[in-house]
Amino acid sequence: MRATDNKAIKTVTFFMGDGIGPEISDSVFAVFQAAHVPVRFDIYNVGEAEYNRNGKLIPDEAFASFEKTKVLLKSPITTPVGKGFRSLNVTMRKKYDLYANFRPAKSNPAVVTPFPNTDIVTFRENTEDLYAGIEEQISDDEMHSIKVITRSKSERICRSAFEFARNCGRKKVTCIHKANIMKLSDGLFLHVFEEVAKDYPDIIADNMIVDACAMNLVLDPTKFDVLVTENLYGDILTDLTSGLIGGVGLMPSANVGTDMAMFEAVHGSAPDIAGKNIANPTAFLWSACMMLDHIGLNDYADLIRSAISNVMNAGVHTTRDIGGNASTTEYTDALVSEIKKLIAMAA
Ligand code: NAD
């Protein structure tokens, strides 16, 4: 029996961004079609081009669709600089309280790096810290950005990290902070982490100052298992962990709230390579697989992940960012062929 049989079609909201967004989205559409994934995408254009057309970065209908489906796959969006725009990503995470940003960094045997055994999952608090958007101009000489850390929001992200560790057989959760300097805000985050840790005696709980963490990550990433941290440290450290495994083209992510979830690659719209047909769609494909796991279509996610793994390990059709020569479409075509082969073998 094929994986498609007896599955009702599910609707997922899709935001089409800009830069490399359309190219890597085409890859997802082709791969989903080959795998007969029972998902219908409700697609909306978002970003600066949409603003120029209709005066809104995200149209009202796009918000309405996400509020109805509760699941969103989002391709990267350029944040216009210096025009008073708030990042669309920050907007989405705050508007829908998508508080847990889950970012796994796992080495792939097909990608040669100095760190072949990296397997680090970061839980980044997604709604407060310096991203709370509270800024004020005191004078022409002085600007303030306010860092907000609350007990309740610290507790739920710490709990998410420990729950994940327990459910997925992980051994250790490390809290990353700068409580030696920011004694109140980071002090609260660390204190809450230590309180939550008491409910998980089966998991090792330790902590590290963020600058020491940055150094230790590049000296020996195998020291780390699950990280939990505030918004800004998580943003920076997960670009670092993506570098350990071969770059941002290989790092998926989920932004999960109480009953809504948004899935996206960690990377941005990469304007430097947009339109050149060389972007690596893997991070976005893996994000799409996480979305499929989230809505209970794990068998389709596994099929797509197997195809990605086989094509990457064969090493013939990989993209430039990981040492290959293939274009985005050549890599996608190879994935489509591999999926068809895997389906035929299973029939
Ligand atoms: P970026 O992640 O877009 O690019 C950083 C570097 O990585 C570039 O050299 C780029 O070519 C490369 N790269 C990124 N994705 C790649 C892929 N899939 N395959 C191969 N190479 C890839 O970061 P940036 O240049 O700092 O930001 C560009 C724009 O994206 C900005 O407007 C920023 O605000 C926005 N951004 C959006 C998101 C999002 O939508 N989630 C995230 C980060 C940045």
Side-chain angles (χ1 to χ4, degrees):
M1 189 169 86
R2 223 174 48 198
T4 46
D5 294 341
N6 302 323
K7 290 266 166 72
I9 306 283
K10 300 195 181 192
T11 302
V12 169
T13 305
F14 192 105
F15 283 9
M16 181 70 79
D18 43 33
I20 59 170
E23 296 160 64
I24 62 174
S25 298
D26 283 346
S27 183
V28 167
F29 299 150
V31 162
F32 271 39
Q33 189 175 20
H36 305 287
V37 176
V39 159
R40 184 189 75 82
F41 286 122
D42 197 15
I43 302 174
Y44 297 89
N45 291 320
V46 300
E48 195 173 14
E50 183 61 21
Y51 179 84
N52 293 334
R53 265 194 304 272
N54 297 322
K56 287 187 175 164
L57 288 166
I58 302 178
D60 293 342
E61 312 83 64
F63 283 125
S65 173
F66 182 32
E67 284 160 23
K68 189 168 169 209
T69 64
K70 315 273 190 214
V71 187
L72 169 64
L73 186 60
K74 182 177 113 357
S75 78
I77 303 167
T78 306
T79 302
V81 177
K83 294 185 187 171
F85 289 119
R86 187 161 201 214
S87 156
L88 283 188
N89 305 307
V90 174
T91 301
M92 293 299 294
R93 292 166 190 160
K94 279 208 64 143
K95 181 176 170 72
Y96 295 110
D97 199 23
L98 306 172
Y99 64 88
N101 187 195
F102 171 87
R103 294 183 163 188
K106 191 168 184 345
S107 301
N108 189 304
V111 185
V112 179
T113 74
F115 311 104
N117 300 312
T118 302
D119 185 4
I120 301 168
V121 171
T122 303
F123 280 80
R124 164 192 174 198
E125 203 292 322
N126 230 359
T127 62
E128 51 182 10
D129 191 0
L130 284 161
Y131 292 58
I134 307 171
E135 295 194 296
E136 58 180 345
Q137 178 168 355
I138 306 304
S139 68
D140 282 347
D141 182 55
E142 188 175 342
M143 313 290 165
H144 290 183
S145 295
I146 310 292
K147 171 165 176 154
V148 178
I149 299 292
T150 63
R151 180 182 295 279
S152 55
K153 291 181 178 172
S154 302
E155 179 174 346
R156 64 184 182 174
I157 191 69
C158 290
R159 210 164 277 290
S160 297
F162 278 105
E163 282 294 318
F164 168 83
R166 179 174 278 173
N167 294 333
C168 296
R170 297 283 185 146
K171 297 195 164 36
K172 183 169 73 171
V173 180
T174 306
C175 174
I176 308 301
H177 61 89
K178 190 79 182 174
N180 53 327
I181 302 296
M182 282 160 278
K183 294 177 189 302
L184 289 180
S185 54
D186 284 30
L188 175 63
F189 191 83
L190 178 58
H191 173 71
V192 170
F193 170 82
E194 286 169 343
E195 287 293 307
V196 171
K198 290 178 188 159
D199 292 338
Y200 301 86
D202 47 319
I203 309 290
I204 300 166
D206 66 359
N207 73 85
M208 195 176 284
I209 291 170
V210 62
D211 36 331
C213 175
M215 179 190 68
N216 279 290
L217 277 169
V218 291
L219 284 178
D220 183 6
T222 63
K223 280 184 185 161
F224 297 94
D225 189 347
V226 178
L227 307 182
V228 63
T229 190
E230 297 166 7
N231 207 336
L232 179 61
Y233 307 147
D235 196 359
I236 296 168
L237 289 177
T238 51
D239 261 38
L240 196 163
T241 57
S242 79
L244 299 175
I245 59 164
V248 281
L250 299 171
M251 177 83 114
S253 83
N255 303 270
V256 182
T258 309
D259 67 341
M260 297 173 84
M262 173 175 85
F263 299 84
E264 60 182 343
V266 165
H267 61 73
S269 56
D272 53 333
I273 59 167
K276 295 184 178 165
N277 194 23
I278 57 172
N280 185 352
T282 306
F284 195 42
L285 284 161
W286 276 332
S287 306
C289 289
M290 286 163 72
M291 180 274 290
L292 292 177
D293 287 337
H294 177 78
I295 61 175
L297 296 175
N298 312 64
D299 42 358
Y300 296 91
D302 290 344
L303 170 65
I304 294 169
R305 280 191 281 251
S306 296
I308 292 172
S309 180
N310 293 352
V311 169
M312 282 178 66
N313 282 323
V316 183
H317 298 290
T318 49
T319 48
R320 292 176 196 195
D321 56 310
I322 55 170
N325 290 312
S327 65
T328 312
T329 42
E330 285 165 345
Y331 174 58
T332 304
D333 290 346
L335 292 176
V336 166
S337 300
E338 185 63 22
I339 287 168
K340 289 181 177 164
K341 199 170 97 192
L342 290 172
I343 290 175
M345 281 164 59

